[in-house]
Amino acid sequence: MVMMIDFSCKHDILIRDEDGTLRPMDEPYFEAEKVADGTWRILSDGDYSYLVEGENEAVVIDSGYGCGNLREYCGTLTDKPVNNIFNTHDHFDHTANNSYFECAYMSRKTSELATIPFPSFEGIDFPRDYKKQIIEEGFVYDLGGRTLEAFYIPDHAAGSMAYLDRKNRILFSGDELSGHFKLINTSVENVYHQFLKLEEQRKDFDLICCGPEGTVPADALETFLEALKLLLDGTEGEKGAAFGMPMGKPKGQEEETRIIFDRHHARPCDMKLNEDVKKGEEHKRTFHYKDVLIIYDETKVFERT
């Protein structure tokens, strides 16, 4: 029997939906949209999850960090068994609900960090001993008439994996590749070569399903590669990190005595990302190219990892 994760200690914290509705943090919430054949994008809280259905079974990619049994909810969308989950990387908005599944598939480096809650979840007891299966680049999982193939592309996180569904022509990229924004944690050169690895598979996908932005056209990959190549060829971005990621609100204007977070937005108390941007701020540069924005460290343009 699956143990429910108890969010009741967070009942007085509110989550604001896009339409302004306020819900207690311990109230389960799920919203699904079918984005391709046998493929659903699911919003709970945190980044998007994806349900991927084959002929024999369905699996989930990333878990979000909202209250409620994600696996049980996915069972209302498909008549195939939903037993396993795949993680793109270790951040808690992608791994918090892994324990609802029989097994979580992830890279070795992801497994070392996947059970660490963000500060906003202090007081909640998340199971840490769920079953994990370590996978390497090239691993292929057969759902029956549909496979997921793993590609190792670490930058946003140390163990990031992307999963390619050649049949339905979808790349599941987590937070490494989205439509408009890239904060480079390693180097421009490193990300360029990782994206070239994905470009080699470009004939096999038309859609990118990512964590923060949902679904974006695969052409975004070419735009990022063009921008990264310009940086490698000597183009320089503007000084400073114009970091504009939307974040939740620590306090809402409606109720000054209660904490309010915006659903699907990062929470200020969890934002180590802001610290990473500020670290070595004098070396940060921001490069705008077409409709993408890249933040990078000018001292780490050429640095292979």
Side-chain angles (χ1 to χ4, degrees):
M1 182 177 176
V2 176
M3 184 184 80
M4 290 294 293
I5 300 170
D6 184 3
F7 275 63
S8 60
C9 67
K10 303 295 183 182
H11 179 74
D12 290 336
I13 295 176
L14 301 175
I15 304 295
R16 189 197 331 260
D17 296 338
E18 198 170 274
D19 65 1
T21 301
L22 296 174
R23 305 173 193 269
M25 188 172 165
D26 64 346
E27 178 181 310
Y29 176 94
F30 295 104
E31 177 185 310
E33 179 181 351
K34 194 169 188 178
V35 296
D37 288 344
T39 310
W40 292 263
R41 183 181 67 209
I42 300 168
L43 175 63
S44 174
D45 196 8
D47 278 351
Y48 287 113
S49 302
Y50 294 91
L51 176 64
V52 183
E53 179 189 71
E55 295 171 4
N56 300 330
E57 64 174 302
V59 300
V60 174
I61 297 177
D62 290 332
S63 77
Y65 59 16
C67 175
N69 188 328
L70 173 63
R71 179 182 176 187
E72 185 178 86
Y73 174 75
C74 287
T76 69
L77 301 174
T78 175
D79 60 2
K80 302 296 190 295
V82 184
N83 297 322
N84 301 317
I85 187 166
F86 284 72
N87 294 134
T88 58
H89 63 290
D90 64 86
H91 295 165
F92 207 59
D93 52 337
H94 293 250
T95 65
N97 290 304
N98 280 355
S99 63
Y100 287 116
F101 297 83
E102 291 184 10
C103 185
Y105 289 72
M106 62 187 75
S107 72
R108 186 169 303 281
K109 289 188 176 179
T110 294
S111 71
E112 296 167 0
L113 302 167
T115 62
I116 301 174
F118 286 167
S120 62
F121 294 92
E122 184 179 0
I124 299 176
D125 182 18
F126 288 92
R128 296 171 182 260
D129 59 351
Y130 53 82
K131 183 180 177 182
K132 303 180 186 70
Q133 177 67 49
I134 305 303
I135 60 174
E136 308 288 344
E137 178 164 286
F139 173 83
V140 176
Y141 190 91
D142 188 355
L143 292 84
R146 185 179 189 180
T147 61
L148 293 174
E149 182 178 350
F151 291 85
Y152 190 53
I153 53 167
D155 174 69
H156 174 77
S160 288
M161 288 280 197
Y163 300 103
L164 178 59
D165 166 14
R166 297 181 191 274
K167 179 181 179 181
N168 285 54
R169 305 184 59 78
I170 303 172
L171 179 73
F172 298 91
S173 66
D175 291 356
E176 294 291 354
L177 174 60
S178 60
H180 304 288
F181 175 78
K182 178 68 177 176
L183 169 62
I184 295 179
N185 291 324
T186 54
S187 72
V188 173
E189 184 179 15
N190 187 57
V191 172
Y192 178 71
H193 284 280
Q194 288 173 358
F195 283 7
L196 278 181
K197 183 195 299 186
L198 298 179
E199 178 66 17
E200 291 173 2
Q201 314 302 321
R202 179 63 182 82
K203 67 182 187 305
D204 290 326
F205 66 94
D206 303 314
L207 186 68
I208 298 170
C209 289
C210 60
E213 291 186 62
T215 55
V216 299
D219 290 350
L221 176 59
E222 279 82 28
T223 304
F224 274 108
L225 279 169
E226 290 171 12
L228 293 165
K229 184 65 165 60
L230 287 171
L231 293 174
L232 291 173
D233 288 344
T235 304
E236 293 185 350
E238 300 173 7
K239 282 281 189 183
F243 186 64
M245 184 182 227
M247 297 189 299
K249 298 173 177 58
K251 285 189 177 181
Q253 294 179 350
E254 300 87 346
E255 297 186 44
E256 290 295 334
T257 61
R258 304 186 79 176
I259 296 174
I260 301 174
F261 295 129
D262 286 329
R263 191 178 302 282
H264 189 54
H265 287 179
R267 299 168 182 173
C269 55
D270 296 336
M271 286 297 288
K272 180 182 180 296
L273 203 52
N274 270 351
E275 297 171 15
D276 291 341
V277 171
K278 291 175 183 176
K279 204 179 297 178
E281 194 166 9
E282 68 274 18
H283 299 300
K284 298 296 184 188
R285 286 186 174 270
T286 301
F287 184 51
H288 296 264
Y289 177 76
K290 294 184 178 178
D291 60 348
V292 305
L293 182 153
I294 297 174
I295 295 176
Y296 66 99
D297 187 325
E298 64 183 350
T299 68
K300 296 181 180 179
V301 174
F302 298 98
E303 186 178 292
R304 291 300 298 273
T305 58

